[in-house]
Amino acid sequence: MSQVSPLSRKWLPLLPAVSWWAFFFLASLLAIIVYSFGVKTPLTALNPVSFDDPSLSNYREAFSSVYIRVFWITLKTAGIGTIACLMMAFPVAYVLATRVSKHWRSWLLFVIIFPYWVSFLLRTFAWRIILAPEGAFSEALQGLGIISAPLGILDTQMAVQMGIIYNYLPVAILPIFVALERIDPALRQASADVGANRVTTFFRITLPLATPGLIGAGVLTFILAAGDYVVPAILGGARGLMIGRLIALQILEAQNLPLGAAMAVVLIAALLATGAIAGLALIVLNWLNRKFQGASI
Amino acid sequence: MTKAVSVRGITKRYGKFVALDDVSLDIEQGEFLSLLGPSGAGKTTILRMIAGFDRPDTGEIRIMDRNIVDLPSHKRPVNTVFQDYALFPHMSVADNVAYGLRQDRVRGEDRRIRVREALDMVEMTSMAHRRPDELSGGQQQRVALARALVKRPSILLLDEPLGALDRRLRQQMQIELKTLQRETGIAFVLVTHDQDEALAMSDRIVVTRHGRIEQAGTPSDLYDYPRTAFVADFMGSQNFLFGKLDKANKALTTRDGVTLYADRIEDVAGPEALAAVRPENTIITMDEPSPALNRVRGRVIQAMHMGNTMEYVVDLPSGAEVFSRQSRKHATDIPIGSEIWLAWDRADTAIFPLDDEINETTKRSHKTMREPA
């Protein structure tokens, strides 16, 4: 007789997702960490990576000044992209959640995620047409006298930045929208009722209550943007580099799996560190705010 | 004396729907006034306009003799207790109460004293550091009251504040609200659809219907002298019998051919009208009652035990039904199927004009049996 204890029955429905996740995420993460300590073998060798003599040499190389610069550019591009996305997403989410009727809301949300129905690659390639120096957009700007020379953005870091913002804007809108929509409109009325003007109500009621959504949107956008390698590959040319692109190059083209793995591990660590710093900053800000406001009782 | 609030001819339309139709209303200082009516009658709209959340299409609202229609809600000397309390979930109880004082730049010790006073008033001081989601419904209700009262408004608006509480707690809060209102001397304006709540707490009740004021008066006025069948029906249970009117004799002949006399006859236009009597004003007897009383013959078809009273449904030959409530103290219970006499005093009889929404009491209109929830 097989006896399933109530506890295991309770968690049983999680099994498919957890096993899937364990295999494809945890196992591959573990593999990457293991590979990062390996050594690249000559092309003639049977196995592309040797673990005979595990070393930190890959990490030494990953931390060389060239790569550090790319890490920095990556974090900067992702950081600026995240801030730009949040700043543009918030007003959209706010209007959607508070000013638009329920009926129009679903339609507008559909419009916002509509670009995702087109392949990511295709959409990014489309930006090459838009940004091309001899393209229609460039000529229109010149015709209007806004710029004097053909548009020189394509294949630079600027193009990567624009592509990143474009691609992750909807990702930023949705969590913020969900957070704002869950705020009872009566709370804003209650705030006005006891004497707070619109600005105070926004900063004391709406914004704090939307913070979980903002953090969610920020983390999601930042992680996706920092790991992106398609946008720099398509729009960045030789000058627009991000670490995701370099990792892909190391693993797929240079056949240097250990170095690519080490760089991936460093990227993960850098993302975690950024997250921790941002979280800490938030806690400090919150504490300062309470200190400044003074006790209520 | 200056009116706390003076509403003059306000009208509000939402598309084709007329939410308020030329409503005028005065609220005295220090008075407990209830806006009573079924949902969609416009009572909440009036409240939201006084608070500043809605704007009338036409008309004027004066608070302490100052027209405030163009004043945004955060500048009005009015505070609101919201239906679901609308406490700020990210703030402690004390921070919720202090929030309004911060807007007035009340600082330091002054603010702490006033927050404490407000929390003391609703006996929530011991919960000052809790978050709203750690409180029961009744406790949240008290915090909402403290948050509004700490501002020392001249008018406190309450939007169905007791709707979410269970019966026992609701009755307790009714007493507390009434006490609080007397002690503070602030004008309370309560929106409710519960006539018992309105009767229990108010100095004055305004019954609204279809965006108009149906009748206004003290609880006794409305209960004893309703001017329309609607108000009579809304203020507790009521039996209605349809019939032909004999205006000169203040009499109405029912479909059974029985003539009923009334001391009071409201403004009836047509030849037909409704005679009304409350279930508690009827008596059931086996013997023929005095002809000085209004009396009908009928058969008991249903009996319900209500504790200290019995509620009987009496079927008349025409098919109309009359509900009768008898004290169990002096009368023995009457078995179902008994042929009986129902009698009541002329003074307890009123004659009202016909009403689209009020029918002769029958099986289908059991709503007149509505008991206090």
Side-chain angles (χ1 to χ4, degrees):
Chain A
M1 258 193 61
S2 74
Q3 280 255 325
V4 184
S5 79
L7 193 72
S8 62
R9 198 177 299 166
K10 191 171 155 195
W11 299 111
L12 203 63
L14 297 182
L15 193 66
V18 168
S19 48
W20 188 266
W21 189 70
F23 185 73
F24 284 102
F25 178 72
L26 283 182
S28 53
L29 184 67
L30 207 69
I32 287 172
I33 293 172
V34 169
Y35 270 103
S36 71
F37 294 106
V39 177
K40 182 183 187 235
T41 51
L43 284 174
T44 49
L46 199 64
N47 208 323
V49 184
S50 149
F51 294 105
D52 298 340
D53 183 19
S55 77
L56 289 172
S57 63
N58 296 313
Y59 285 96
R60 264 194 295 281
E61 199 175 345
F63 279 112
S64 67
S65 64
V66 181
Y67 291 140
I68 284 293
R69 219 188 108 246
V70 180
F71 269 115
W72 171 240
I73 291 172
T74 302
L75 292 182
K76 199 177 79 177
T77 308
I80 292 172
T82 302
I83 290 165
C85 278
L86 292 183
M87 276 167 47
M88 284 195 278
F90 197 93
V92 176
Y94 187 82
V95 168
L96 218 54
T98 62
R99 302 267 188 277
V100 177
S101 73
K102 283 227 159 67
H103 169 80
W104 283 105
R105 219 179 264 172
S106 358
W107 278 107
L108 287 172
L109 279 173
F110 175 76
V111 168
I112 286 168
I113 55 168
F114 186 71
Y116 281 71
W117 287 36
V118 178
S119 147
F120 182 46
L121 274 173
L122 221 60
R123 280 183 287 126
T124 309
F125 266 115
W127 274 77
R128 285 201 71 87
I129 300 168
I130 297 170
L131 296 178
E134 59 284 345
F137 183 60
S138 170
E139 269 160 26
L141 286 181
Q142 288 177 77
L144 288 168
I146 295 169
I147 52 172
S148 52
L151 206 56
I153 291 177
L154 196 60
D155 297 328
T156 65
Q157 195 58 35
M158 182 64 155
V160 177
Q161 186 72 75
M162 289 170 79
I164 293 270
I165 293 170
Y166 159 75
N167 265 319
Y168 298 112
L169 189 55
V171 172
I173 291 174
L174 293 179
I176 300 174
F177 165 76
V178 171
L180 286 172
E181 202 209 15
R182 280 173 46 186
I183 302 175
D184 182 356
L187 294 182
R188 287 191 289 273
Q189 288 173 356
S191 172
D193 188 73
V194 293
N197 60 30
R198 282 164 164 275
V199 177
T200 308
T201 299
F202 178 80
F203 282 106
R204 291 274 169 230
I205 307 296
T206 307
L207 196 59
L209 289 174
T211 303
L214 269 169
I215 292 174
V219 167
L220 213 59
T221 309
F222 186 72
I223 290 175
L224 290 175
D228 197 333
Y229 74 96
V230 174
V231 172
I234 295 174
L235 298 177
R239 281 174 295 167
L241 266 182
M242 280 175 76
I243 202 68
R245 172 102 197 278
L246 279 192
I247 295 170
L249 282 177
Q250 289 302 334
I251 293 173
L252 300 176
E253 280 163 45
Q255 305 287 321
N256 195 343
L257 199 56
L259 180 57
M263 284 160 67
V265 171
V266 173
L267 177 63
I268 292 168
L271 289 179
L272 288 176
T274 312
I277 290 166
L280 213 64
L282 219 68
I283 290 167
V284 170
L285 272 176
N286 217 339
W287 181 80
L288 282 176
N289 183 24
R290 290 196 69 81
K291 205 83 190 151
F292 175 73
Q293 273 199 50
S296 299
I297 195 160
Chain B
M1 198 166 79
T2 313
K3 308 287 181 199
V5 183
S6 184
V7 172
R8 287 281 150 262
I10 54 172
T11 296
K12 179 75 181 177
R13 287 187 185 79
Y14 295 104
K16 277 190 173 170
F17 177 71
V18 182
L20 288 179
D21 186 4
D22 192 22
V23 168
S24 293
L25 162 72
D26 282 331
I27 299 164
E28 307 289 344
Q29 290 179 41
E31 136 176 89
F32 198 129
L33 181 123
S34 291
L35 295 167
L36 175 67
S39 57
K43 54 193 193 304
T44 301
T45 310
I46 297 175
L47 200 79
R48 291 177 59 83
M49 283 177 177
I50 298 173
F53 306 137
D54 277 329
R55 206 194 139 82
D57 297 335
T58 59
E60 195 179 85
I61 300 172
R62 307 186 75 83
I63 293 180
M64 302 307 277
D65 227 12
R66 173 168 168 228
N67 188 4
I68 47 99
V69 165
D70 292 318
L71 211 59
S73 54
H74 71 270
K75 290 186 177 159
R76 297 187 185 196
V78 174
N79 291 112
T80 307
V81 173
F82 288 81
Q83 189 164 13
D84 297 315
Y85 320 131
L87 297 179
F88 307 128
H90 57 306
M91 296 182 194
S92 69
V93 165
D95 286 340
N96 262 279
V97 176
Y99 184 84
L101 296 177
R102 292 181 200 282
Q103 311 313 321
D104 296 343
R105 307 265 184 275
V106 180
R107 291 176 215 273
E109 195 55 27
D110 284 354
R111 185 169 69 207
R112 283 199 290 275
I113 289 170
R114 281 180 67 178
V115 168
R116 185 173 288 277
E117 276 173 5
L119 287 176
D120 280 345
M121 196 155 58
V122 295
E123 288 166 17
M124 285 295 290
T125 315
S126 61
M127 308 269 178
H129 297 289
R130 299 237 184 135
R131 295 273 167 139
D133 61 4
E134 297 167 328
L135 303 178
S136 71
Q139 291 168 335
Q140 290 185 35
Q141 163 80 78
R142 287 158 195 269
V143 177
L145 264 168
R147 182 177 66 181
L149 288 172
V150 77
K151 299 274 291 181
R152 297 175 184 160
S154 47
I155 302 119
L156 182 74
L157 308 175
L158 302 110
D159 186 7
E160 306 246 8
L162 309 179
L165 305 180
D166 64 48
R167 185 179 172 171
R168 195 175 288 255
L169 195 55
R170 197 156 64 213
Q171 286 171 343
Q172 186 194 335
M173 284 305 292
Q174 284 177 10
I175 297 168
E176 287 186 26
L177 274 179
K178 183 71 196 160
T179 311
L180 211 56
Q181 190 265 335
R182 279 226 189 87
E183 283 171 2
T184 56
I186 295 170
F188 276 31
V189 183
L190 173 88
V191 160
T192 182
H193 62 265
D194 182 338
Q195 74 277 11
D196 296 313
E197 198 169 293
L199 286 170
M201 291 194 282
S202 316
D203 297 320
R204 217 149 54 88
I205 299 173
V206 174
V207 179
T208 58
R209 182 190 192 193
H210 302 320
R212 290 165 179 268
I213 292 176
E214 183 92 351
Q215 189 176 346
T218 64
S220 306
D221 277 346
L222 292 186
Y223 192 85
D224 298 335
Y225 306 109
R227 281 206 306 269
T228 64
F230 178 81
V231 175
D233 188 36
F234 211 78
M235 292 288 163
S237 320
Q238 193 77 250
N239 290 299
F240 292 106
L241 289 169
F242 174 86
K244 287 216 167 12
L245 182 68
D246 173 3
K247 236 177 185 169
N249 292 318
K250 292 188 180 177
L252 178 138
T253 306
T254 68
R255 292 191 290 129
D256 287 319
V258 177
T259 301
L260 303 173
Y261 294 91
D263 276 5
R264 216 153 50 81
I265 172 164
E266 295 300 334
D267 193 16
V268 184
E272 286 153 346
L274 293 169
V277 62
R278 293 191 183 280
E280 62 269 29
N281 291 334
T282 61
I283 50 168
I284 293 180
T285 68
M286 296 296 167
D287 314 317
E288 184 173 348
S290 150
L293 295 172
N294 284 324
R295 49 189 199 165
V296 293
R297 288 229 61 161
R299 195 163 56 90
V300 174
I301 57 166
Q302 192 61 266
M304 274 160 290
H305 210 299
M306 316 295 275
N308 58 346
T309 61
M310 285 294 288
E311 187 117 13
Y312 297 99
V313 183
V314 178
D315 191 27
L316 305 189
S318 63
E321 285 170 2
V322 177
F323 299 98
S324 175
R325 193 174 300 154
Q326 306 290 315
S327 165
R328 297 188 65 234
K329 220 168 183 174
H330 308 296
T332 48
D333 295 351
I334 299 156
I336 291 175
S338 308
E339 297 285 340
I340 50 95
W341 285 92
L342 254 180
W344 62 92
D345 216 325
R346 291 179 183 193
D348 294 326
T349 315
I351 294 177
F352 296 112
L354 296 180
D355 189 301
D356 298 347
E357 291 167 23
I358 309 288
N359 296 312
E360 190 172 49
T361 324
T362 64
K363 275 202 187 74
R364 279 185 304 282
S365 58
H366 269 266
K367 73 185 176 89
T368 51
M369 282 295 290
R370 181 185 48 209
E371 265 301 296

